[in-house]
Amino acid sequence: MNDKIKPLTPSWFPKDGQFNIDIIRKGFNQSGHTKFLGMEYVDGGDDWLELSLDWREELVADEQSGVLASAAIISLLDNATSLAIFSKMKAFKPQATMDMRVDYLRASPKGARVYGRGECYKLTSKIAFMRGVAHNGDIDDPIAHVTGAFIQTSLSAFIGKVNK
Amino acid sequence: MNDHSITLPPYAKSLGMRIDSYEGDTPIIAMPFSDIVIGRPGFLHGGAMAGLLEIAAMASLRSALNKRGIDYSVKQINVTVDFMRGGASQTSYAIGKVNRLGRRLANVEAAIWQEDRERIICAAHMHYLVRTKE
């Protein structure tokens, strides 16, 4: 089994760990769950980053109202905050979401595009503290708020050698 | 007696979730590992795990509400998710537990495991606003 283990960093993760916003723009949504959700890069700065996703029947949690699954919004905020941390670190270092608290302020209406803005407001040697907002285009009228933390992991944990 | 009136929403079905079995009246939800739930290569996306917890929590709440025999509408207020271990490339299972069901508020928790039920990989607790349908 062990000889099958090979580094499983995302394909867009640069080998030298150098941070480059273009790598995020072009690469983060090319596979897996982010691709399935249709996340797109919107904008970003030194310690923040905004992504979006379109409403889709497949992502609905309540068929009567057409309201999106709240977990689609969690995924969006998870990615936006994670990428905001890379932006603040100016590096791609292996990290894992430690915890997230999401408050749902209102439902995201049927058909509406959802934006997720993540910010890393404090970086320590091991922990990145983040917060963020989901909205439908007006950040002053939020759908949801998130707070939480990411923890930097060893590369071996990141690629799955030590997780037992 | 199992409550078979629990149905899964489109979001759950598109991620391949299904009701695996019942523990008492509470459904255990299964989610297969597939391309569309991957975060970093080889592991579940945190958002997909949060999604499985959300579906399991809501199913347990629906099951508890059905026992009351009144039609309720339910609205999620918030969630706190703890990510404890990476989600490996295998089927994940989740179950919700209603810790308190009041007239307005429900306190619910949910947990995910894979091959070992005792080894929780991700857990959450949620608050729901519960309203009687007119």
Side-chain angles (χ1 to χ4, degrees):
Chain A
M1 271 302 272
N2 272 357
D3 59 337
K4 284 191 175 172
I5 295 175
K6 57 177 193 233
L8 287 169
T9 50
S11 55
W12 55 269
F13 227 76
K15 296 281 176 285
D16 59 5
Q18 281 288 313
F19 180 78
N20 180 342
I21 196 76
D22 286 334
I23 294 171
I24 291 176
R25 271 184 214 168
K26 290 172 191 156
F28 85 98
N29 57 359
Q30 294 304 301
S31 65
H33 198 53
T34 52
K35 182 182 180 187
F36 167 74
L37 291 174
M39 284 190 213
E40 286 175 25
Y41 175 85
V42 177
D43 202 0
D46 285 345
D47 60 355
W48 67 276
L49 194 132
E50 189 163 281
L51 304 174
S52 71
L53 64 82
D54 279 327
W55 183 94
R56 220 161 84 222
E57 189 76 50
E58 276 179 295
L59 306 180
V60 162
D62 179 30
E63 277 177 290
Q64 280 188 345
S65 63
V67 165
L68 277 184
S70 45
I73 295 169
I74 293 195
S75 293
L76 187 67
L77 291 170
D78 188 15
N79 276 87
T81 53
S82 158
L83 296 174
I85 293 163
F86 291 142
S87 301
K88 191 170 171 92
M89 291 194 295
K90 298 268 185 293
F92 290 111
K93 291 180 187 167
Q95 60 178 2
T97 322
M98 190 179 86
D99 76 328
M100 291 178 86
R101 179 204 164 100
V102 182
D103 287 305
Y104 298 106
L105 309 178
R106 63 176 175 85
S108 184
K110 184 175 182 173
R113 171 175 271 216
V114 182
Y115 297 83
R117 185 179 296 208
E119 180 199 351
C120 174
Y121 67 92
K122 176 69 182 174
L123 208 51
T124 72
S125 59
K126 283 275 179 280
I127 307 292
F129 296 93
M130 58 74 165
R131 58 192 168 207
V133 171
H135 59 92
N136 293 123
D138 175 6
I139 201 162
D140 293 324
D141 183 20
I143 303 162
H145 269 257
V146 64
T147 57
F150 281 71
I151 182 161
Q152 282 187 36
T153 60
S154 64
L155 189 62
S156 54
F158 193 73
I159 65 177
K161 278 183 182 168
V162 289
N163 196 42
K164 296 288 176 186
Chain B
M1 192 182 76
N2 289 343
D3 180 351
H4 295 295
S5 64
I6 305 285
T7 54
L8 301 182
Y11 169 82
K13 288 177 188 158
S14 43
L15 293 186
M17 292 181 209
R18 60 183 166 78
I19 295 175
D20 175 74
S21 54
Y22 284 83
E23 197 167 271
D25 290 329
T26 309
I28 292 176
I29 312 292
M31 181 174 77
F33 192 83
S34 71
D35 282 351
I36 60 171
V37 293
I38 292 180
R40 64 181 198 266
F43 290 89
L44 286 174
H45 192 285
M49 289 199 269
L52 177 57
L53 291 168
E54 175 189 333
I55 297 301
M58 185 60 104
S60 70
L61 180 55
R62 283 281 168 211
S63 166
L65 288 168
N66 286 347
K67 274 191 231 169
R68 285 188 173 177
I70 310 169
D71 204 6
Y72 289 92
S73 73
V74 172
K75 202 179 198 176
Q76 191 172 353
I77 304 164
N78 58 30
V79 59
T80 303
V81 190
D82 270 340
F83 299 94
M84 289 172 269
R85 295 178 172 98
S89 52
Q90 51 189 275
T91 301
S92 300
Y93 301 90
I95 192 165
K97 181 170 176 265
V98 179
N99 288 327
R100 179 179 177 271
L101 179 52
R103 287 178 55 197
R104 287 161 194 271
L105 190 65
N107 303 63
V108 184
E109 60 181 40
I112 302 178
W113 68 94
Q114 293 188 316
E115 54 194 1
D116 180 359
R117 174 84 187 249
E118 299 304 310
R119 204 165 166 275
I120 301 298
I121 63 166
C122 187
H125 61 97
M126 306 81 167
H127 295 95
Y128 294 89
L129 200 58
V130 175
R131 278 186 285 221
T132 314
K133 276 190 186 169
E134 293 303 322

